[in-house]
Amino acid sequence: RLIVNVGWVFVVLFDRGCMNYMFPASYAWGNFSVLAVGIWAIVQRDSLDAIMMFLTGLLLTVLTDIIHISVFYPPNNYLTDEKRFSVGMAIFSLLLKPVSCYLVYRMYRERGGE
């Protein structure tokens, strides 16, 4: 249940981060594909491959999110309230991803991973 709740928090924060179209499409595609693999990992409880792909995808999106936020952060004179909110949600989502990675790793260990 905790993994599902963390997943919904991830969806809401990621959705708010994409709200302003400030980041390129690769930001949305990367995170939505990891979300799809995460749903697959939750549904197939006996698959180690699904949970390992989800963990790998989460770790990869941490790196790409850092790159996206640092490259596409707008200058202060173009920073509206909407953009500030979107960047804040993207950063908050990025800060919660290590917690998600830890919980997914625990799930991997529970399923018999080494």
Side-chain angles (χ1 to χ4, degrees), residues 80-106:
T80 63
D81 289 338
E82 257 183 352
K83 288 183 180 182
R84 186 175 292 125
F85 180 73
S86 293
V87 170
M89 289 297 108
I91 291 171
F92 192 54
S93 172
L94 176 64
L95 291 175
L96 285 180
K97 278 187 184 181
V99 174
S100 298
C101 288
Y102 172 72
L103 293 174
V104 170
Y105 180 72
R106 277 190 31 200

Side-chain angles (χ1 to χ4, degrees), residues 41-81:
I42 291 171
V43 169
Q44 260 192 338
R45 295 192 181 271
D46 57 342
S47 174
L48 281 176
D49 292 336
I51 198 76
M52 192 62 195
M53 285 178 63
F54 183 42
L55 182 60
T56 305
L58 272 174
L59 291 171
L60 185 64
T61 57
V62 168
L63 178 67
T64 58
D65 286 356
I66 291 170
I67 293 170
H68 279 112
I69 291 170
S70 62
V71 169
F72 294 101
Y73 193 83
N76 282 338
N77 52 350
Y78 294 111
L79 199 59
T80 63
D81 289 338

